[in-house]
Amino acid sequence: MRFLQVLGAALAQAAIAYVVPQGSPGFYHGNSSSSVTFDAHTLFLDNKRLVVFSGEMHPWRSPSGVPTWRDVFQKLKASSHPWFNAVSVYHRWGSSEGKQGELDFEQWRNHSMVYQTAKEVGILVISRPGPYINAETSAGGYPGWTTSLNATTRLNDTLWTEAWQPYIEASARFIAPFQYPDGPVVVVQAENEYGPSSPQNPGRSEYMQTIEDTLRSNGVDRVPLQVCLPHVNSALLTRLGAVDLYTWDAYPGRYDCSHPDAWHEVITNYSAWHQHDDPDLVWATGEFQGGSLDPWGGAGYDGCYLLLNEQFANVFYKNNYASQVMYQNLYMVYGGTNWGNLATTGVYTSYDYGAAIREDRTLTPKYSELKLQALFLHASLDFQVATALSAGIIGNVYVTVMEAESGAGFYVVRQMMNNITTSTDFTLTVNTTNGSFTIPQLGGIITLAGRESKILVTNYSFGTSNLEYSTAEVMTWFTLDDTDHIVLYAPEGQYVEVALASAAGTVDILGTPLNQTVLDGSLVVSGSLSGISRVSVNNTTLFIVDKVTAYSFWNPRLLRSTDASIYDLAPDVPSVLIVGPYLVRNATIEDGTLVLFGDINTTTTLRILAPSDVSQFKWNDKEVRLELDELGFLSGSLPFDIEAPHLPRLGHTTWLCVDSLPEIRPDFDDSEWVTANETVARRPEQMWYGKYVTFADEYGFHQGNSLYRGHFQGNTARGVNISMQGYAPLLLVPHDLTFSSCVVFPRGIRGYSLLDDDDFETWKIQGNLGGEDFPDKVRGPLNEGGLWVERIGAHLPGFFTAGWNSSAIEATCSPYVGLDGPGIVAYRTSFTLDLPTNIDVPLALNFTRTPTSHYLSMIYINGWQFGRFNSLIGPQTLFPLPQGILNHNGENELLITLWALSTMGAAIEGLELVATSLVSTSKEGFTHGVTTSPTFQEVRG
Ligand code: GAL
């Protein structure tokens, strides 16, 4: 069925009519009874416009589960009450189907619990179940066994369809009961970065359509399906496999974290592409750069944070809004950890990504910048439907002029080139209800402080009040007790000029003084910004604050009791203004008491603006006494009365040690190992040279560190020639799996030969214990590899170390002493923690790196593999051990391997437990100290 969408005059030029894809119920606003619809500007929930301000997080990269997910979701929702209103989640097929046909969605793989937690927090979900995800994860998220299928992945190949369909059917059934309005899921992604068939690549559109049909027939029938593509293309909209919603992805800051100051230019064509590609669809970015991946030997994530910091967010995201992007998902907003063997070969353990919320869940200035932007988008209904009138360089500044039908004007300004890091002063000619003139009017200037972008407004309505213009940016507005309040900000010390379109009444200015005058019937306040200035006139209050002070402003919508209303995030929903805390998670009013939950990281002055019938205040369940302060807030002090905990010194504990490379001995008995006796691989790709197939995956070992023993008879061999591919997380082979031609390359030894002798007679292979029949179903298919200590289960809690040497007897049995030649030794210790439950103190294991010493280490904490360290190339030295995996109130068992790769041997110069932050928190704790996971006795005993 096709139909023409009748659009308003503003879009009369639109060249392409919206077409309802075949087989889809259609989600176009005005033509659909769905609760989730969209038009050319935004999504709608229940016919209310909705800017999607979303961040990506991967629940499976945080296996401690619900308490961690809830903490991140609350930080997202709080950061922009109400418009960091969505979280986008990839689910990972490979973690749920370690063996074909054995689906497992327990604990950290539980899709329903992700949706349930989001529902409780009140944050919407973009669900991206796969099958393929990429995300720098092993096999792009596919199960290891798929790499040995005699099928071409990502095509309509019968064997391939049989492989993915059970997982997608199950994923759809998890989504079904959580579709909006019954739950938080508003959009479901059918495939990632996937285009239609071409003459060179037939079968793609059919594959795509089969995924969509599978989702729809298993209950995903009330929300739009999307795809994420680098380039949306109008031809897609009507083809077989077309989805409802096209989103593009872009990484314009790129990935060079070693040169964080070297910026690329913003892309100014987005708006033109929208007009060309799909002008009738909300202009949506399903992945926009929120940080960067970092490879082995890279700069480290602090460098990535600097490259993609709050200035990047300021300049690049405002460029999106200037292009009418009203659906934006930032990849990543919280990265988490490549624990176990989750990482693809090229990247290391941390997936911090330089994101707004760091791996240890701490908040950054970028998080605060996003809060300012998201609140503005929410508050500015006119901006959501504004269109660009012009864009180009005026003076030294790039200006996009936008206007809404209401007459509201928006001027998105930035430096004309991103390599300009010095300040630029300028004036701007704007259209107002008093005509066209240049601002500032009173002799001041507007400043762009280096890499800064601003959205300046004219004729901006808030409640019954109206700003004629402002050279300070709008953060948010709300109406409280019949008074309209607006919060405006600019960097400290900048001159600002704000004109309120009414001058009658007595003007009262509290806090930092500003000048006031009346021009053409408008009240104009002006001056240099610092701290808080509060300007009151009649029923209007302006807060004009410096940007860093604005970071500490929170404007939470008051939580209501019914589920259905938790997603109603419109600006008319009652809210309060809170100033000061590190984090405000949520706010409710119960019988005249304002109940707040949040976190502080220092003694904090709490300032509140609440309805006048609120007389009592609670912070984290404790009553707080507040008094009227000089700024007209109710204010009081929240004492930060917690101390940094004393942590056990690993240098002082007893270590037990054992040789973990017995396989190197010539008389080692490998008769129980798998014999690599296949001569033709099941998969299409074959060996480059060598008689037997030696891909580890062929024999059921998919984890990434398998051992090979080659047997040969001759005595003339001078050496061995081995080609490895995509399979050495510790050794750094550059490609894992490449999907460019829909082919997954084999992993392991791709070719072998003996130099100057006959061939190997046999190859024996050993990987993780049990291969696809791995015993530890909780930690899952990728946790363990093939090292001796992993195969005997020495990493698991409760392992009995009988026969191991001890540092109490032999001082050399310590990772700080190490080995004096090549080899692998494993060290084990335990320590007890007893940390108060009201503090959030993320702990990490810190290595002192000695690049002159070539060794590799693996970290196991309580049976979970949480780190791979490379002394030679780094860069990661700090390995977060998340609460819930680490027991903050009990015993912890730590295993470290030390694999010395040179004849010099190796020692770990420094290895200590450190705290990376200290916060007084209201976050959810772990009922039993840790997430439930089996002991040695339960899975190996
Ligand atoms: C995108 C992809 C993501 C992730 C990202 C880079 O193209 O969709 O899964 O790999 O690149 O971090």
Side-chain angles (χ1 to χ4, degrees):
M1 179 181 71
R2 289 167 167 232
F3 63 85
L4 282 181
Q5 178 62 32
V6 182
L7 294 166
L11 283 171
Q13 79 279 20
I16 298 148
Y18 176 72
V19 177
V20 177
Q22 290 281 327
S24 157
F27 292 91
Y28 210 81
H29 191 62
N31 292 291
S32 166
S33 58
S34 172
S35 301
V36 185
T37 56
F38 54 84
D39 69 0
H41 297 286
T42 66
L43 251 65
F44 293 79
L45 287 192
D46 296 327
N47 299 318
K48 273 187 173 172
R49 283 203 181 276
L50 174 93
V51 174
V52 175
F53 200 94
S54 171
E56 180 87 13
M57 87 85 92
H58 299 150
W60 39 276
R61 282 190 158 117
S62 296
S64 45
V66 171
T68 305
W69 304 346
R70 192 188 307 279
D71 182 51
V72 173
F73 291 172
Q74 285 181 338
K75 281 172 174 161
L76 290 184
K77 170 132 184 177
S79 79
S80 57
H81 259 296
W83 288 141
F84 218 128
N85 52 358
V87 59
S88 165
V89 293
Y90 274 144
H91 296 293
R92 193 177 183 285
W93 171 22
S95 297
S96 276
E97 200 171 354
K99 182 171 189 180
Q100 188 165 17
E102 293 184 9
L103 285 164
D104 183 339
F105 295 95
E106 295 300 311
Q107 295 191 231
W108 53 275
R109 288 150 293 207
N110 191 323
H111 298 200
S112 303
M113 281 311 292
V114 174
Y115 307 140
Q116 179 61 30
T117 308
K119 177 175 175 171
E120 286 164 16
V121 172
I123 190 160
L124 302 167
V125 174
I126 299 163
S127 173
R128 310 206 289 165
Y132 178 60
I133 54 176
N134 189 5
E136 291 73 65
T137 188
S138 177
Y142 287 157
W145 51 263
T146 62
T147 67
S148 308
L149 284 181
N150 186 17
T152 318
T153 57
R154 298 185 105 185
L155 284 186
N156 66 332
D157 177 312
T158 310
L159 212 56
W160 182 241
T161 310
E162 283 169 9
W164 62 259
Q165 226 163 17
Y167 164 76
I168 290 294
E169 283 168 2
S171 302
R173 289 196 290 265
F174 292 131
I175 294 168
F178 285 100
Q179 291 171 97
Y180 185 85
D182 297 331
V185 179
V186 283
V187 176
V188 175
Q189 178 164 304
E191 246 288 0
N192 192 51
E193 298 187 326
Y194 195 76
S197 304
S198 64
Q200 300 77 31
N201 290 299
R204 293 168 69 103
S205 301
E206 290 78 3
Y207 161 65
M208 189 70 184
Q209 188 61 51
T210 312
I211 297 176
E212 290 168 50
D213 293 346
T214 306
L215 290 166
R216 291 291 187 220
S217 62
N218 285 280
V220 181
D221 51 8
R222 293 157 69 188
V223 297
L225 298 181
Q226 76 167 28
V227 73
C228 176
L229 274 171
H231 296 292
V232 177
N233 171 343
S234 56
L236 292 172
L237 307 186
T238 56
R239 292 189 60 156
L240 180 69
V243 291
D244 306 296
L245 198 57
Y246 282 87
T247 73
W248 44 276
D249 60 13
Y251 290 78
R254 319 237 184 120
Y255 309 98
D256 185 2
C257 305
S258 306
H259 299 96
D261 292 331
W263 275 22
H264 297 273
E265 290 304 322
V266 298
I267 292 162
T268 48
N269 293 343
Y270 289 148
S271 197
W273 290 343
H274 187 201
Q275 288 312 310
H276 176 266
D277 292 342
D278 60 356
D280 299 346
L281 268 61
V282 49
W283 192 221
T285 173
E287 280 182 23
F288 197 85
Q289 188 157 18
S292 171
L293 53 89
D294 194 44
W296 284 106
Y301 281 113
D302 289 346
C304 298
Y305 180 83
L306 287 178
L307 177 69
L308 293 319
N309 65 2
E310 60 277 12
Q311 290 174 314
F312 173 88
N314 190 355
V315 172
F316 281 78
Y317 303 165
K318 283 179 183 165
N319 180 60
N320 284 352
Y321 315 143
S323 317
Q324 302 100 46
V325 171
M326 290 297 146
Y327 173 130
Q328 175 175 272
N329 176 47
L330 302 177
Y331 188 105
M332 303 288 298
V333 78
Y334 175 70
T337 309
N338 287 315
W339 63 279
N341 297 292
L342 276 180
T344 190
T345 343
V347 300
Y348 50 93
T349 306
S350 176
Y351 201 67
D352 175 278
Y353 217 78
I357 305 175
R358 301 303 296 264
E359 187 181 3
D360 65 356
R361 295 175 292 99
T362 50
L363 307 177
T364 63
K366 179 159 60 176
Y367 172 88
S368 302
E369 169 64 36
L370 295 175
K371 174 167 73 172
L372 302 185
Q373 294 181 18
L375 280 166
F376 166 75
L377 291 175
H378 148 64
S380 309
L381 300 180
D382 282 339
F383 187 63
Q384 298 173 10
V385 293
T387 47
L389 301 181
S390 65
I393 295 169
I394 304 177
N396 288 328
V397 176
Y398 193 96
V399 185
T400 306
V401 180
M402 301 173 77
E403 200 176 88
E405 271 182 32
S406 67
F410 302 90
Y411 299 78
V412 187
V413 292
R414 60 172 169 83
Q415 304 269 17
M416 63 179 182
M417 301 285 286
N418 274 342
N419 60 6
I420 303 173
T421 54
T422 50
S423 283
T424 296
D425 291 338
F426 67 101
T427 57
L428 188 69
T429 302
V430 295
N431 292 318
T432 75
T433 39
N434 275 336
S436 175
F437 52 82
T438 299
I439 59 171
Q441 298 192 89
L442 300 171
I445 203 85
I446 312 172
T447 303
L448 289 174
R451 287 166 163 168
E452 200 199 340
S453 175
K454 295 180 197 280
I455 304 177
L456 307 181
V457 301
T458 58
N459 193 19
Y460 184 94
S461 294
F462 58 107
T464 57
S465 309
N466 186 274
L467 282 182
E468 187 187 359
Y469 66 87
S470 170
T471 68
E473 291 182 87
V474 174
M475 175 179 175
T476 188
W477 65 268
F478 51 93
T479 303
L480 209 65
D481 293 339
D482 294 333
T483 297
D484 300 323
H485 297 76
I486 192 163
V487 184
L488 304 159
Y489 68 93
E492 183 166 20
Q494 285 193 4
Y495 171 86
V496 297
E497 204 172 280
V498 180
L500 188 66
S502 155
T506 311
V507 181
D508 194 15
I509 301 184
L510 302 176
T512 308
L514 293 173
N515 301 317
Q516 53 162 301
T517 188
V518 173
L519 276 180
D520 289 332
S522 293
L523 168 69
V524 183
V525 288
S526 60
S528 168
L529 263 187
S530 170
I532 302 176
S533 305
R534 178 177 179 158
V535 182
S536 302
V537 51
N538 295 329
N539 281 0
T540 307
T541 296
L542 315 175
F543 287 102
I544 306 178
V545 305
D546 75 68
K547 192 166 184 175
V548 173
T549 303
Y551 286 174
S552 68
F553 276 54
W554 304 88
N555 185 210
R557 266 45 190 165
L558 293 165
L559 287 185
R560 281 129 300 133
S561 49
T562 57
D563 280 338
S565 64
I566 202 165
Y567 309 107
D568 181 1
L569 304 172
D572 55 354
V573 175
S575 67
V576 287
L577 184 68
I578 316 282
V579 180
Y582 172 76
L583 172 69
V584 177
R585 290 176 192 268
N586 52 45
T588 39
I589 294 180
E590 295 165 12
D591 299 331
T593 302
L594 176 63
V595 180
L596 299 173
F597 285 93
D599 296 15
I600 54 171
N601 61 357
T602 182
T603 292
T604 299
T605 302
L606 175 69
R607 295 192 157 108
I608 290 178
L609 212 61
S612 53
D613 54 0
V614 172
S615 55
Q616 303 218 307
F617 303 88
K618 276 189 172 175
W619 174 261
N620 295 349
D621 264 342
K622 276 199 203 134
E623 201 169 315
V624 281
R625 292 195 183 288
L626 303 181
E627 289 179 358
L628 204 61
D629 70 9
E630 72 287 0
L631 289 165
F633 286 103
L634 284 167
S635 93
S637 179
L638 298 175
F640 186 72
D641 48 12
I642 58 175
E643 283 178 11
H646 290 288
L647 299 175
R649 299 285 311 276
L650 296 182
H652 294 177
T653 60
T654 302
W655 289 90
L656 300 161
C657 63
V658 78
D659 172 30
S660 187
L661 197 53
E663 301 92 342
I664 208 165
R665 291 184 216 127
D667 61 348
F668 180 84
D669 179 6
D670 63 15
S671 56
E672 298 286 303
W673 288 25
V674 171
T675 307
N677 53 7
E678 306 285 342
T679 51
V680 181
R682 282 172 287 159
R683 53 173 307 133
E685 297 75 25
Q686 301 298 323
M687 293 290 285
W688 283 328
Y689 51 98
K691 179 175 170 196
Y692 295 110
V693 178
T694 45
F695 311 149
D697 292 284
E698 183 80 15
Y699 304 96
F701 301 122
H702 310 299
Q703 284 71 10
N705 49 345
S706 297
L707 283 90
Y708 290 80
R709 294 186 101 244
H711 295 249
F712 60 96
Q713 292 293 351
N715 51 15
T716 57
R718 273 192 306 117
V720 50
N721 185 356
I722 286 196
S723 295
M724 299 280 296
Q725 182 170 287
Y727 190 53
L730 292 174
L731 284 175
L732 239 204
V733 174
H735 26 243
D736 175 10
L737 302 166
T738 301
F739 289 87
S740 51
S741 55
C742 291
V743 165
V744 185
F745 290 126
R747 302 185 289 185
I749 295 185
R750 187 84 201 256
Y752 64 83
S753 65
L754 275 179
L755 303 183
D756 288 347
D757 208 329
D758 290 345
D759 203 356
F760 286 93
E761 276 183 355
T762 44
W763 276 98
K764 304 289 273 185
I765 303 188
Q766 185 60 283
N768 69 302
L769 190 82
E772 290 174 8
D773 292 307
F774 52 96
D776 185 349
K777 300 298 180 211
V778 170
R779 297 182 185 87
L782 287 180
N783 189 50
E784 299 167 7
L787 287 189
W788 169 258
V789 279
E790 296 174 290
R791 296 205 310 275
I792 63 172
H795 56 292
L796 290 164
F799 175 78
F800 191 50
T801 48
W804 287 39
N805 205 346
S806 164
S807 62
I809 298 164
E810 186 83 61
T812 55
C813 172
S814 143
Y816 305 94
V817 179
L819 295 75
D820 53 16
I824 307 178
V825 174
Y827 302 91
R828 213 176 186 283
T829 192
S830 61
F831 56 89
T832 303
L833 296 171
D834 186 18
L835 306 176
T837 52
N838 62 341
I839 70 171
D840 186 359
V841 54
L843 302 183
L845 203 56
N846 191 33
F847 281 72
T848 308
R849 188 172 148 217
T850 42
T852 46
S853 164
H854 192 182
Y855 73 89
L856 310 163
S857 276
M858 267 194 335
I859 302 162
Y860 270 104
I861 184 76
N862 298 326
W864 301 81
Q865 192 215 111
F866 254 84
R868 281 161 185 264
F869 173 75
N870 185 321
S871 74
L872 193 66
I873 57 170
Q876 188 177 5
T877 52
L878 192 66
F879 292 84
L881 305 176
Q883 185 181 1
I885 297 302
L886 190 67
N887 192 344
H888 280 203
N889 298 95
E891 207 193 358
N892 293 284
E893 298 179 53
L894 174 69
L895 180 124
I896 303 277
T897 60
L898 177 59
W899 178 357
L901 287 156
S902 83
T903 48
M904 288 162 58
I908 303 179
E909 190 172 293
L911 180 71
E912 277 307 340
L913 210 51
V914 295
T916 54
S917 146
L918 181 63
V919 169
S920 169
T921 189
S922 59
K923 85 175 180 67
E924 177 185 345
F926 287 82
T927 323
H928 303 293
V930 281
T931 190
T932 311
S933 54
T935 60
F936 177 83
Q937 285 70 21
E938 284 161 338
V939 284
R940 300 289 189 94

